[in-house]
Amino acid sequence: MAITMSSASLPIFRTMLGNLSHILDKAVAHAQARKFDPAVLTSYRLAPDMLPFTRQIQIACDAAKNGVARMAGIEAPKFEDTEQTFEELKARIAKTLAWLETVPAEKLDGNETREITFPVGREATRTMTAEAYLKHWALPNFFFHVSMAYAILRHNSVELGKADYLAGAAR
Amino acid sequence: MAITMSSASLPIFRTMLGNLSHILDKAVAHAQARKFDPAVLTSYRLAPDMLPFTRQIQIACDAAKNGVARMAGIEAPKFEDTEQTFEELKARIAKTLAWLETVPAEKLDGNETREITFPVGREATRTMTAEAYLKHWALPNFFFHVSMAYAILRHNSVELGKADYLAGAAR
């Protein structure tokens, strides 16, 4: 089977969001074992002007959800950014995954040259074809926030390895 | 035009390696402006058992080079991991980009179901189709190391923003 817009996008978001959820489980277990408040991790920033862990997870979820919606030309549900605990962040990932399951492959396939205009920052927009948007915006942005979440946890001594990031619970 | 194995891989590696080179320029400028030894950054690790900055760059380059070679069924040149300075790391990126330019799209296209066996750690191997390998191994691994390099620099106060990561010097 030839690679398609749906096969080049949905399975990546699905797999990595599952791995991210697994990584959150390990963070919770670590905080419990060391008996510290998990909010130390969820509020942690790698630099004072970087986003905290909670926002990294919310944005990773939105990069997948909004990215797929734009490429498919459909409306995605808006999720309020209210999560604070690991449990709530896991629920955010779960509802993102549940929504991705509702997107039919046909809505994405054949859309390579469809033009997408999307917000960049608070005031600007950019326009790209759906294929360019997937490769040069949605995927890099998604992986960035998943990786920042991983980096925050590793920097705080959570016992994670590359296998957790690449293969999650299935490794 | 339909998305293909070459269009789904080569432009991503090319763009992001270019952005990574731009990010290295900003790190050098930062070290010069603050008058500290750039080796502070190149040897920095986010955790004692994480790889230092130099290795993050070397592995990002190899994820692109070896990933493409495996998917194309061709031999990639082996680059010794001897880089220590930003200048040498920039040269590593440049020679990876130069090699990627030599790979004809036809070597990749149509290879979706080609089976690839690749090393995982020191002793194990895994086998995946080329399409699965691209989506679930080569790309996640590549983005991981580019993101870790970014995270190390941001954590050390280098003035970078998402635009540097996503759009590099072209932003």
Side-chain angles (χ1 to χ4, degrees):
Chain A
M1 284 230 324
I3 192 168
T4 60
M5 285 298 288
S6 63
S7 82
S9 58
L10 293 174
I12 295 180
F13 294 129
R14 218 154 41 208
T15 300
M16 293 304 299
L17 286 171
N19 297 353
L20 188 58
S21 189
H22 159 79
I23 284 171
L24 265 57
D25 286 337
K26 287 200 135 184
V28 171
H30 179 80
Q32 282 171 347
R34 301 281 198 96
K35 298 188 174 47
F36 66 78
D37 182 354
V40 172
L41 297 177
T42 53
S43 64
Y44 193 85
R45 303 167 190 262
L46 277 178
D49 56 348
M50 282 182 86
L51 294 169
F53 186 84
T54 46
R55 292 292 295 140
Q56 304 293 348
I57 304 298
Q58 290 162 348
I59 298 175
C61 288
D62 281 1
K65 171 176 66 74
N66 299 341
V68 166
R70 287 182 189 126
M71 292 186 288
I74 59 180
E75 279 287 315
K78 174 144 176 49
F79 296 152
E80 296 302 327
D81 296 326
T82 53
E83 295 85 1
Q84 298 197 330
T85 66
F86 278 107
E87 196 175 292
E88 288 165 350
L89 291 170
K90 282 199 62 174
R92 171 74 170 249
I93 295 171
K95 68 183 178 182
T96 303
L97 280 166
W99 181 79
L100 288 175
E101 289 298 329
T102 70
V103 180
E106 313 86 79
K107 285 280 186 187
L108 289 157
D109 292 343
N111 283 4
E112 282 87 340
T113 58
R114 173 197 174 85
E115 288 218 326
I116 294 179
T117 298
F118 57 98
V120 175
R122 288 200 188 138
E123 298 187 358
T125 63
R126 264 186 92 154
T127 300
M128 289 182 182
T129 65
E131 183 180 341
Y133 173 75
L134 172 65
K135 298 187 299 190
H136 300 302
W137 205 270
L139 288 179
N141 197 36
F142 174 73
F143 279 115
F144 178 90
H145 292 287
V146 173
S147 297
M148 288 309 132
Y150 178 100
I152 287 171
L153 297 179
R154 280 291 263 116
H155 184 63
N156 282 287
S157 307
V158 177
E159 283 173 31
L160 295 172
K162 182 74 83 59
D164 296 300
Y165 167 87
L166 281 175
R171 79 188 188 288
Chain B
M1 285 231 321
I3 192 167
T4 60
M5 286 297 288
S6 64
S7 83
S9 58
L10 294 174
I12 295 181
F13 294 129
R14 216 154 42 208
T15 300
M16 293 304 300
L17 286 172
N19 297 353
L20 188 58
S21 189
H22 158 79
I23 284 170
L24 266 58
D25 286 337
K26 287 200 136 184
V28 171
H30 179 81
Q32 283 171 348
R34 302 282 198 95
K35 297 188 173 50
F36 66 77
D37 182 355
V40 172
L41 296 177
T42 53
S43 64
Y44 194 83
R45 303 167 189 262
L46 278 179
D49 56 349
M50 283 183 85
L51 295 168
F53 186 85
T54 45
R55 290 293 295 141
Q56 304 292 348
I57 304 297
Q58 289 161 348
I59 297 174
C61 287
D62 281 0
K65 171 175 67 72
N66 298 342
V68 166
R70 286 182 189 126
M71 293 186 287
I74 58 181
E75 279 287 315
K78 175 145 176 48
F79 296 152
E80 296 301 327
D81 296 325
T82 52
E83 295 85 1
Q84 298 198 330
T85 66
F86 277 106
E87 195 175 292
E88 287 164 352
L89 290 171
K90 284 197 61 173
R92 172 74 171 248
I93 296 171
K95 70 183 178 184
T96 303
L97 280 166
W99 181 78
L100 288 175
E101 290 298 328
T102 69
V103 180
E106 313 87 78
K107 286 280 185 188
L108 289 157
D109 292 343
N111 283 4
E112 282 87 341
T113 57
R114 173 197 173 86
E115 288 218 326
I116 294 179
T117 298
F118 57 98
V120 176
R122 287 198 189 139
E123 297 186 1
T125 62
R126 263 185 93 155
T127 300
M128 290 183 182
T129 66
E131 183 180 341
Y133 173 76
L134 173 64
K135 297 187 300 190
H136 301 301
W137 205 271
L139 288 179
N141 197 36
F142 174 73
F143 280 114
F144 178 91
H145 292 287
V146 173
S147 297
M148 289 308 132
Y150 177 99
I152 287 171
L153 297 179
R154 280 289 265 115
H155 185 65
N156 283 286
S157 307
V158 177
E159 284 174 30
L160 294 172
K162 182 74 83 61
D164 296 300
Y165 167 85
L166 281 175
R171 79 188 186 288

